[in-house]
Amino acid sequence: MGCIFSGSRSRASLYRVEAESPDQTVPPQAFSWDRADRSDAKDFVYKDLMGQTKVKPPGSIQGQQFIVDSCENCSIYLFDNSASVNIDDCNNCCIFVGPVDGSLFVRDCRNCTIITVCRQFRTRDCIDCKCMLACGTKPIIEASSNIKFGCFDVSYKGLIGVAYRPAALLWNLAPSSSCSCHTFFLAAAQLETIGLSRFQNFWSDVYDFTPGTGHWDFLPLVSSQNTLVACSIC
């Protein structure tokens, strides 16, 4: 039993493909890997560096994952927001990391200074490291020793909408205080991009997975004029 409307059209006519006119052109199919502006993964890795200063200015990372691996005696500055950051096997480095939407994971590092704004901060198998944080959750340490924590207090263009200045630490808040730091009361474009609150900083509420006590402490309440981080380009 067929459709009453099918009698006037043959099966061949239903499936016939019309020939293209000679002047009709079909645009080539575009793929993401063919784009000229496609990001190169190598642009988001610092690996096997020795005694170098590396800077990523605002707008150069744009929410990508970043990796710092096996660097020694280096100063590294990431002045842009990222999805996540892994810092592995670094020794005697100063590493500044702008707002991280996810986790900043520090592993197997020795005698490093880490200054960052992140949603989650974790260390594992680290020794003698200083960490200045603005952290959206409790910082976590595991199998680490002599880790010192302090409150993030650094500004730069893009984070708060003002010009670069020396990354000086204005150390005037006790670890037990409810610390948001004056930097975070200012308009912060990069913080807003990743949805981090300027008014919640759990830098001092450290959670230690390692059995026992004494694996971490706070940095001195008042620093000298010698800062923990100094950027020559500021």
Side-chain angles (χ1 to χ4, degrees):
M1 188 174 182
C3 176
I4 61 173
F5 300 105
S6 62
S8 59
R9 300 183 63 186
S10 66
R11 182 180 296 274
S13 66
L14 293 174
Y15 299 100
R16 184 173 62 249
V17 178
E18 298 292 341
E20 296 180 356
S21 60
D23 59 344
Q24 184 176 1
T25 58
V26 179
Q29 189 171 3
F31 299 95
S32 61
W33 53 83
D34 293 327
R35 291 169 45 191
D37 61 344
R38 180 170 174 258
S39 299
D40 190 337
K42 296 192 296 295
D43 293 336
F44 309 108
V45 177
Y46 286 148
K47 182 176 175 63
D48 297 326
L49 303 180
M50 177 74 70
Q52 298 186 42
T53 296
K54 291 289 187 178
V55 179
K56 285 289 186 181
S60 62
I61 302 175
Q62 296 186 339
Q64 300 289 331
Q65 181 186 25
F66 206 96
I67 295 174
V68 181
D69 189 5
S70 303
C71 297
E72 187 170 355
N73 297 321
C74 291
S75 297
I76 295 172
Y77 304 93
L78 309 181
F79 291 115
D80 201 13
N81 60 294
S82 54
S84 63
V85 175
N86 289 344
I87 302 173
D88 295 314
D89 297 297
C90 291
N91 183 39
N92 196 33
C93 291
C94 177
I95 304 173
F96 179 93
V97 182
V100 182
D101 191 15
S103 297
L104 190 151
F105 208 169
V106 186
R107 298 173 291 198
D108 300 294
C109 292
R110 304 289 184 272
N111 193 33
C112 289
T113 298
I114 312 293
I115 303 98
T116 186
V117 183
C118 60
R119 194 176 303 278
Q120 183 184 55
F121 182 86
R122 303 191 65 167
T123 72
R124 192 184 72 198
D125 298 312
C126 294
I127 299 175
D128 299 333
C129 291
K130 300 178 180 68
C131 308
M132 294 188 60
L133 309 178
C135 194
T137 57
K138 296 180 180 181
I140 295 172
I141 68 172
E142 183 177 2
S144 299
S145 61
N146 196 28
I147 309 299
K148 301 295 181 66
F149 287 92
C151 182
F152 178 97
D153 193 5
V154 177
S155 63
Y156 63 91
K157 183 179 180 180
L159 179 70
I160 62 172
V162 300
Y164 282 101
R165 67 175 176 83
L169 313 181
L170 307 179
W171 207 267
N172 55 11
L173 292 172
S176 59
S177 68
S178 177
C179 174
S180 292
C181 291
H182 76 277
T183 299
F184 292 93
F185 289 101
L186 303 177
Q190 289 183 352
L191 292 176
E192 293 169 359
T193 297
I194 64 175
L196 278 177
S197 172
R198 291 172 287 167
F199 307 103
Q200 289 185 324
N201 185 1
F202 296 93
W203 69 273
S204 62
D205 198 0
V206 180
Y207 189 88
D208 188 359
F209 275 108
T210 312
T213 59
H215 306 118
W216 67 275
D217 202 350
F218 293 115
L219 285 165
L221 300 183
V222 180
S223 70
S224 66
Q225 295 300 316
N226 297 322
T227 63
L228 291 179
V229 55
C231 179
S232 60
I233 68 167
C234 293

